């Protein structure tokens, strides 16, 4: 097994462990108090102006209906086209959109490269109809993705450097991240020029999937692109670029979490646990006594009540 | 200005120049804004003011370097506690996400009324204070935080200057959460500001006097943040009954502590003091509609406010639990919240996960109940009695943060003649804060009053004037319906400062007052205009 194969497995393992750890960290945090923000798409089309169940008399007596389709219809243009940025920060969207679309298409291209590799293992190489389709889609999505991604990166770097409102809040690492991604897009494009059918790349993936030696020798450009990609892959979960995590949790679990507390046993159990947590806040009015008191204790005390 | 500059040694980080403040629509297009009121030399010696020359907290300056060090250490300890589930289970998840994921795109800044009104002062960007906290957390609390801190963008010096300025900066945001509503990655910089206030209060005991000592402490000590005692509320209710009799020619009894009533009605007690016609209107409407309700005279039961919402989870919980206990003891079926935005959100939304479900009592907005009354036809309204141009202010807490948008509009359409009601731009969930949110309406320490009128309320003033363009003749009386007690306080201050009624004929009132004004059974006009008082004096 070559060093590049070992590195691939290593970077893949780091990505999986680090990303899963991050997801787990947020998923296992306590249920917070409600902090929703309207409009909430699952309230449905008839409340698309931002209305909620609070507009209904005796709302707790009504059966709650969440319009999940409306929520997906909201999420789709948001994920694909970054609709919120289009509406509220158009000048940044002009570059952010091609950048993100470039990423999506490149990842889709990589997925079809993997499908092509699996087909090849199954005895359906690119000379077959199915293998040829996977190859064509790999080339189309990958190359368009590289071009769009590169345009986006160049635009975002220039925008971030030239707009004082952005540059004041940007650090060298922000530029490094963008340039790193840009280098992956550019070298990916150059790989395509050297390897127009991505045949060498596919053989490399076959070797990774089957844990076997590579058939073809990778070119220098393949190595460069792989090194940039693999190192970024391992680095990515440690950065704020994983903002798809915040997008999921902050929207689905915070801004859209309007579930009222109606005595669900699971929710009740959680609240009882939290009320038992020790409090160590130091301000005198809290009266926490350095953790001797719990949330239930401090919340039910009234330090200013007249003593009977 | 970079967030790191908050640590720099300077008498004052930013000078606010009124010439750069956002302009106002006619008839204020040539209005020359006066400079902000300056603190006296003596006040400057005693109070921290090095952020923008404003002191909202009248925070005493530490007397020794040791005291400064101690306060800085406490701040860091508080930040550490803020990031633990034991001390902050209430908001840990959204806080941790918001601290980690800002993409620094500045989309939120364009949505912030204070940033815009100030002439785009960097320190008022929603990202500025949030970024300061992010950088401190990364550098001082994360493993290896000091390694390549400059390259990674969080090389910030944690000094007393930073802490003192951040304390003041926590009181330059109204927590309206417009910023959060536009963030493309879901980050909530408004929440970070909320958490920052909690850190200062819960760990260092630093909070605005009006919302802590004169607010939640008075509420828990005397029964109301107004200082109105449990002994006094009965008398005040009696005065209201007298006033009602005088106004409508018949006496109505306001039920007190009625066990087993359908509804516990809770007002913002500020209404009793500043706008008694508001609780009077509720009494008239509920009586006419045959609503079975009661008002409590128990400690905290007659004041629906909960200032803890803005700065302290423990104070918040103490008041919310009192409200729920009182409702349970009375055996009511639901609590109905009067015209108070933050009381709505506090009791309906935030308190919802404070106690297990079996201890909760259903809570309902008065807007919803009032719309139900209008729809029921139990009260006859004559829209022609409200024959003047009307616009509606959307309280953030009720609209953007609770999704109650339609009932108040439907009521206004039902009680005003066609064409008289017009929306502000923007409105509904995209509305702008009145500028008095998060406690600003009641805060007046140092020179803060001037700041909140000229800056945090500026956008709302623009909107109110904008709604009536083309009808600016002061002879044409126009009304802003502001169904929230704190919003009314801020709007009253704005109108006084800019002499809005005198120059434009625009005045303000609540929703229920306009409803009573339109009642067929109501002979004399119920809504009062400042010019009525002048006429009476003559």
């Amino acid at each position: 097994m070559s060093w590049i194969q070992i590195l691939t497995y290593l970077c893949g393992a780091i990505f999986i462990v680090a990303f899963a750890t991050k997801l787990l960290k947020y998923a296992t945090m306590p249920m917070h108090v409600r902090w929703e923000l309207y409009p909430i798409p699952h309230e449905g089309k008839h409340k698309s102006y931002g209305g909620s169940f609070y507009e209904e008399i005796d709302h707790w007596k009504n059966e709650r209906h969440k319009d999940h389709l409306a929520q997906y219809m909201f999420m789709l243009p948001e994920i694909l086209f970054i609709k919120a940025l289009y509406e509220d920060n158009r000048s940044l969207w002009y570059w952010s959109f091609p950048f993100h679309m470039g990423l999506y298409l490149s990842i889709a291209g990589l997925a079809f490269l993997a499908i092509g590799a699996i087909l090849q293992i199954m005895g359906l190489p690119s000379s077959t109809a199915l293998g040829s389709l996977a190859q064509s889609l790999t080339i189309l999505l990958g190359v368009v993705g590289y071009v769009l991604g590169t345009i986006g990166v160049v635009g975002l770097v220039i925008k971030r450097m030239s707009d004082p409102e952005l540059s004041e809040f940007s650090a060298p690492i922000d530029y490094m991240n963008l340039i790193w991604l840009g280098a992956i897009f550019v070298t990916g494009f150059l790989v395509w020029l050297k390897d127009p059918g991505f045949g060498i790349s596919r053989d490399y993936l076959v070797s990774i999937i089957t844990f076997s030696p590579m058939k073809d020798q990778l070119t220098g450009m393949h190595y460069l692109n792989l090194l940039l990609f693999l190192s970024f892959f391992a680095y990515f979960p440690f950065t704020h670029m994983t903002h798809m995590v915040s997008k999921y949790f902050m929207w689905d679990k915070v801004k859209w979490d309007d579930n009222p507390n109606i005595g669900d046993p699971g929710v009740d159990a959680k609240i009882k646990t939290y009320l038992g947590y020790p409090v160590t806040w130091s301000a005198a009015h809290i009266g926490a006594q350095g953790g001797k008191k719990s949330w239930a204790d401090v919340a039910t005390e009234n330090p200013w009540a007249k003593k009977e | 200005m970079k967030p790191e500059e908050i640590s720099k040694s300077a008498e004052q980080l930013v000078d606010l120049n009124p010439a750069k403040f956002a302009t106002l629509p006619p008839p204020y297009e040539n209005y020359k804004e006066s400079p902000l009121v300056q603190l006296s030399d003596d006040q400057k010696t005693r109070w921290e003011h090095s952020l923008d020359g404003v002191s909202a907290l009248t925070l005493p300056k530490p007397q020794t370097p040791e005291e400064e060090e101690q306060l800085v250490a406490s701040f860091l300890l508080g930040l550490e506690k803020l990031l633990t589930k034991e001390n902050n289970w209430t908001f840990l998840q959204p806080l941790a996400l918001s601290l980690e994921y800002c993409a620094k795109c500045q989309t939120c800044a364009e949505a912030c009324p204070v940033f815009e009104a100030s002439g785009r002062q960097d320190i008022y960007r929603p990202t500025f204070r949030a970024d300061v906290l992010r950088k401190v957390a990364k550098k001082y609390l994360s493993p290896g935080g000091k390694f390549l801190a400059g390259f990674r963008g969080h090389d910030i010096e944690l000094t007393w200057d930073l802490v003192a300025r951040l304390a003041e900066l926590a009181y330059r945001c109204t927590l309206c959460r417009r910023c959060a509503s536009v963030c493309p990655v879901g980050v909530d910089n408004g929440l970070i500001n909320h958490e920052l206030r909690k850190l200062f209060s819960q760990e260092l005991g630093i909070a605005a006097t009006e919302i802590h000592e004169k607010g939640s402490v008075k509420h828990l000590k005397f029964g109301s943040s107004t200082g109105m005692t449990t002994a006094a509320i009965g008398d005040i209710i009696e005065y209201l009954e007298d006033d009602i009799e005088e106004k409508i020619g018949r006496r109505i009894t306001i039920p007190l502590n009625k066990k087993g009533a359908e509804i516990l009605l809770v007002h913002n007690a500020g209404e009793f003091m500043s706008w008694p016609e508001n609780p009077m209107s509720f009494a008239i409407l509920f009586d006419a509609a045959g609503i079975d309700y009661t008002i409590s005279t128990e400690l905290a039961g007659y004041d629906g406010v909960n200032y803890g919402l803005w700065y302290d989870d423990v104070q918040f919980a103490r008041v919310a639990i009192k409200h729920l206990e009182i409702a349970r003891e009375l055996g009511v079926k639901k609590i109905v919240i009067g015209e108070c935005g933050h009381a709505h959100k506090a009791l309906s939304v935030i308190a919802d996960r404070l106690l297990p479900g079996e201890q909760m009592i259903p809570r309902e907005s008065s807007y919803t109940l009032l719309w139900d009354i209008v729809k029921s036809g139990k009260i006859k309204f004559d829209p022609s009695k409200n024959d003047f141009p009307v616009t509606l202010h959307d309280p953030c807490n009720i609209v953007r943060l609770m999704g109650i948008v339609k009932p108040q509009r439907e009521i206004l359409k039902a009680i005003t003649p066609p064409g008289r009601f017009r929306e502000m731009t923007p409105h509904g969930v995209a509305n702008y804060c009145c500028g008095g949110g998060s406690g600003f309406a009641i805060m007046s320490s140092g020179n803060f009053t001037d700041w909140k009128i000229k800056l945090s309320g500026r956008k709302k003033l623009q909107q109110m004037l904008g709604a009536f363009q083309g009808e600016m003749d002061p002879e044409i009386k126009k009304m802003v319906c502001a169904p929230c007690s704190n919003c009314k306080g801020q709007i009253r201050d704005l109108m006084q400062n800019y002499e809005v009624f005198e120059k434009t004929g625009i005045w303000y009132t609540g929703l229920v007052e306009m409803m009573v004004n339109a009642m067929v059974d109501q002979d004399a006009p119920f809504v009062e205009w400042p010019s009525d008082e002048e006429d009476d004096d003559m």
Side-chain angles (χ1 to χ4, degrees):
Chain A
M1 193 169 285
S2 70
W3 65 269
I4 194 78
Q5 286 173 296
I6 293 169
L7 188 69
T8 306
Y9 293 127
L10 185 68
C11 291
I14 292 172
F15 173 84
I16 290 167
V17 171
F19 202 76
T21 305
K22 181 164 262 190
L23 285 177
L24 212 61
K25 178 180 114 177
Y26 287 113
T28 55
M29 281 181 176
M31 173 188 72
H32 49 82
V33 296
R34 282 171 54 195
W35 192 247
E36 66 251 33
L37 199 56
Y38 291 84
I40 295 180
H42 65 227
E43 288 289 346
K45 260 191 175 169
H46 66 294
K47 290 200 186 282
S48 58
Y49 55 85
S52 74
F53 57 84
Y54 285 116
E55 294 185 328
E56 295 152 19
I57 195 83
D58 293 341
H59 61 82
W60 54 93
K61 292 180 183 168
N62 302 338
E63 197 178 331
R64 284 214 67 202
H65 171 69
K66 286 190 180 180
D67 189 342
H68 294 289
L69 185 63
Q71 188 162 319
Y72 299 137
M73 293 309 288
F74 176 91
M75 286 159 66
L76 199 66
E78 183 51 48
I79 293 168
L80 285 180
F81 303 113
I82 326 173
K83 189 165 164 266
L85 199 67
Y86 176 81
E87 286 170 355
D88 297 309
N89 196 346
R90 190 74 55 91
S91 67
L92 193 62
W93 181 85
Y94 289 131
W95 305 113
S96 187
F97 171 67
F99 170 73
H100 283 90
M101 189 48 78
L103 270 178
Y104 298 157
L105 294 180
S106 310
I107 291 166
L110 185 62
F112 277 103
L113 188 69
I115 290 167
I118 292 165
L119 290 173
Q120 194 167 308
I121 294 164
M122 291 165 65
L124 294 167
S126 55
S127 52
T128 64
L130 211 53
S132 171
L133 179 66
Q135 184 184 40
S136 303
L137 286 169
T138 303
I139 297 167
L140 180 71
L141 296 169
V143 174
V144 175
Y146 295 148
V147 173
L148 276 177
T150 306
I151 292 168
V153 164
V154 171
L156 284 174
V157 169
I158 293 171
K159 173 89 178 152
R160 201 162 268 286
M161 288 174 80
S162 60
D163 184 341
E165 299 205 345
L166 293 178
S167 62
E168 291 280 276
F169 289 82
S170 301
I173 197 169
D174 299 319
Y175 297 105
M176 184 195 81
N177 291 340
L178 280 171
I179 291 166
W180 195 341
L181 276 165
I184 295 170
F185 289 134
V186 171
T187 54
F189 186 83
L190 294 175
V191 162
W192 172 62
L193 293 181
K194 290 241 175 213
D195 179 14
F198 287 116
I200 301 171
S201 303
R202 194 163 42 253
D203 285 345
Y204 156 76
L205 262 187
V206 168
S207 78
I208 291 294
I209 295 167
T210 57
F211 298 95
S212 58
M214 282 184 286
K215 263 199 318 194
D216 296 321
Q217 183 59 43
L218 295 170
T219 67
M221 194 52 70
H222 280 97
Y223 274 112
L224 183 59
N225 179 244
L226 260 179
L227 282 174
L228 285 165
F229 172 74
L230 290 174
S231 52
F232 190 85
F233 197 48
Y235 162 73
F236 175 72
F238 300 96
T239 71
H240 71 81
M241 288 182 284
T242 49
H243 50 237
M244 68 288 292
V245 174
S246 75
K247 213 156 179 160
Y248 167 69
F249 282 105
M250 282 301 291
W251 288 22
D252 204 60
K253 303 293 177 200
V254 181
K255 285 161 76 170
W256 297 347
D257 178 7
D258 60 349
N259 289 326
N261 178 6
I262 48 165
D264 174 80
V267 172
D268 282 358
K270 284 180 186 171
I271 292 173
K272 283 174 186 166
T273 303
Y274 305 153
L275 292 176
Y277 283 159
V279 182
T280 62
W281 289 110
S282 305
H285 70 272
I286 306 285
Q289 296 180 5
K292 285 184 190 156
K293 294 202 173 168
S294 66
W295 274 93
D297 295 331
V298 297
T300 51
E301 271 174 9
N302 180 356
W304 302 278
K306 280 184 191 159
K307 301 283 178 283
E308 296 296 327
Chain B
M1 181 184 290
K2 288 177 180 290
E4 289 86 343
E5 291 180 51
I6 196 169
S7 310
K8 82 176 180 190
S9 185
E11 172 71 19
Q12 198 173 307
L13 203 57
V14 163
D15 275 316
L16 297 173
N17 180 0
K20 290 188 177 167
F21 294 173
T23 53
L24 297 170
Y28 293 88
E29 67 272 41
N30 299 316
Y31 185 81
K32 194 170 181 305
E33 192 65 85
S34 57
L36 248 68
V37 169
Q38 298 293 301
L39 295 171
S40 69
D41 288 343
D42 174 54
Q43 290 169 329
K44 283 182 180 172
T45 319
R46 290 186 287 124
W47 299 336
E48 290 294 346
H49 63 282
S50 69
L51 176 72
D52 51 5
V54 177
S55 171
L57 300 176
T58 60
L59 184 63
K61 289 186 175 178
Q63 297 303 302
T64 63
E66 291 75 29
E67 195 186 341
E68 279 190 8
E69 274 174 33
Q70 180 56 46
L71 286 163
V72 171
S74 293
F75 173 82
L76 195 57
L77 188 61
L79 183 53
E80 203 173 349
K81 289 178 188 175
L82 209 53
L83 296 169
T84 63
K85 66 177 185 180
E86 288 79 11
N87 278 300
N88 198 24
W89 64 269
T90 47
F91 286 96
L92 179 63
Q93 191 190 52
L95 172 65
L97 287 160
S98 293
L99 283 176
E100 182 166 357
Y101 283 110
C102 178
K104 304 165 192 171
C105 66
Q106 299 302 330
T107 307
C108 56
E110 303 304 321
C112 175
V114 175
F115 172 67
E116 189 187 331
S118 70
R120 307 176 75 82
Q121 283 286 355
D122 280 333
I123 58 166
Y124 299 144
R125 285 177 186 276
T127 48
F128 190 90
R129 63 177 78 73
D131 250 19
V132 171
L133 207 63
R134 283 186 188 105
K135 288 170 196 284
V136 172
K138 277 186 189 161
K139 183 174 176 182
Y140 293 94
L141 295 179
S142 65
K146 290 183 181 168
F147 177 68
L148 293 177
F151 180 76
R152 290 156 69 198
H154 54 255
D155 194 11
I156 197 162
E157 284 306 307
L158 180 57
T159 62
W160 170 245
D161 279 330
L162 178 149
V163 174
R165 286 168 180 156
L166 211 47
E168 278 293 337
L169 200 46
Y171 289 86
R172 300 293 185 275
C173 158
T174 65
L175 304 178
C176 76
R177 295 178 70 209
R178 270 190 121 243
C179 55
S181 68
V182 299
C183 177
V185 291
V187 162
D188 192 338
N189 285 316
L191 170 77
I192 291 179
N193 193 58
H194 175 262
E195 299 298 289
L196 190 55
R197 289 187 182 191
K198 276 167 49 183
L199 187 170
F200 278 110
S201 176
Q202 295 173 185
E203 186 63 21
L204 290 94
I206 294 173
T209 310
E210 296 86 350
I211 63 175
H212 183 63
E213 286 95 339
K214 294 180 184 171
S216 65
V217 171
K218 269 170 112 176
H219 200 175
L220 290 162
K221 192 173 184 178
F222 301 114
S224 166
S225 56
T226 58
M228 189 194 304
T229 62
T230 50
I233 181 69
D235 293 339
I236 288 170
I237 296 285
E238 217 175 300
Y239 292 139
L240 292 187
E241 289 169 345
D242 293 343
D243 284 350
I244 291 171
E245 191 171 6
E246 199 177 304
K247 276 263 191 187
I248 68 170
R250 66 187 176 90
R251 193 161 188 88
I252 287 175
T253 303
I254 298 174
L256 296 180
N257 304 317
K258 183 181 164 191
K259 291 252 180 193
E262 190 90 10
I263 290 168
L264 169 65
L265 175 64
V266 286
H267 290 295
N268 177 324
E271 300 280 1
F272 294 118
M273 316 291 274
S274 302
W275 299 281
E277 60 278 12
N278 183 275
M280 284 161 59
S281 300
F282 269 100
I284 295 166
L285 290 165
F286 279 19
D287 179 75
I291 303 284
D292 176 21
Y293 78 105
T294 188
I295 284 179
S296 166
T297 61
E298 283 294 310
L299 186 91
Y302 50 93
D303 193 350
V305 307
N306 192 339
Y307 294 172
L309 178 74
W310 304 317
Y311 78 105
D312 192 303
D313 282 348
V314 176
Q315 292 293 85
F316 171 82
R318 285 169 173 162
V319 171
I321 288 172
K322 287 293 296 176
H323 285 149
L324 293 167
E325 273 174 8
I326 289 163
R328 267 201 308 276
E329 279 164 20
L330 284 168
V332 298
K333 293 200 172 56
K334 61 182 171 186
I335 303 173
V336 168
I337 304 152
E339 293 188 4
C340 176
H342 87 274
H344 265 78
K345 193 178 76 173
L347 202 50
S348 305
V349 179
I350 311 294
D352 198 37
R353 291 178 186 162
L354 271 190
L355 295 172
E358 72 265 17
Q359 294 180 46
M360 300 305 288
I361 300 271
R363 287 89 63 209
E364 187 165 86
S365 169
S366 53
Y367 296 7
T368 308
L369 180 62
L370 292 166
W371 173 225
D372 198 56
I373 291 172
V374 172
K375 279 191 294 187
S376 73
K378 287 176 185 166
I379 302 177
K380 298 281 173 261
F381 295 101
D382 175 3
S384 69
K385 292 186 169 190
N386 283 326
D387 194 11
F388 40 79
V390 181
T391 191
L392 175 69
H393 164 64
D394 285 304
C396 303
N397 282 309
I398 299 176
V399 179
R400 181 163 43 256
L401 309 183
M402 276 184 74
I404 304 175
V405 188
K406 212 170 180 180
Q408 60 273 41
R409 290 176 160 74
E410 295 298 329
I411 293 170
L412 278 179
K413 284 174 193 164
I415 60 167
T416 54
R420 284 307 211 180
F421 170 60
R422 77 283 315 275
E423 296 279 12
M424 292 189 197
T425 307
H427 58 269
V429 291
N431 76 315
Y432 280 104
C433 173
C434 61
S438 79
F440 288 5
I442 53 162
M443 285 169 59
S444 57
S445 291
N447 52 350
F448 186 70
T449 302
D450 207 36
W451 184 90
K452 75 177 180 187
I453 286 173
K454 287 174 180 157
L455 286 175
S456 66
R458 198 168 197 84
K459 197 71 201 174
K460 184 50 63 179
L461 182 59
Q462 278 184 343
Q463 276 198 294
M464 291 190 296
L465 294 169
F468 297 114
Q469 286 301 309
E471 296 168 295
M472 279 304 170
D473 179 353
E475 293 300 312
I476 306 172
K477 291 177 186 171
K478 300 166 277 285
M479 191 61 89
V480 175
C481 176
C484 165
S485 190
N486 281 352
C487 299
K488 275 192 298 197
Q490 170 74 5
I491 289 169
R492 172 195 59 200
D493 293 351
L494 283 170
M495 290 196 171
Q496 278 173 3
N497 183 73
Y498 290 97
E499 297 176 324
V500 174
F501 182 74
E502 294 76 3
K503 290 180 179 168
T504 69
I506 300 173
W507 195 236
Y508 72 97
T509 191
L511 182 63
V512 280
E513 292 90 322
M514 286 192 62
M515 288 176 74
V516 174
N517 201 52
M519 281 173 73
V520 170
D521 294 346
Q522 175 67 20
D523 293 333
F526 191 83
V527 165
E528 291 177 355
W529 304 82
S531 52
D532 296 342
E533 291 167 26
E534 287 162 26
D535 294 344
D536 290 347
D537 293 343
M538 285 170 75

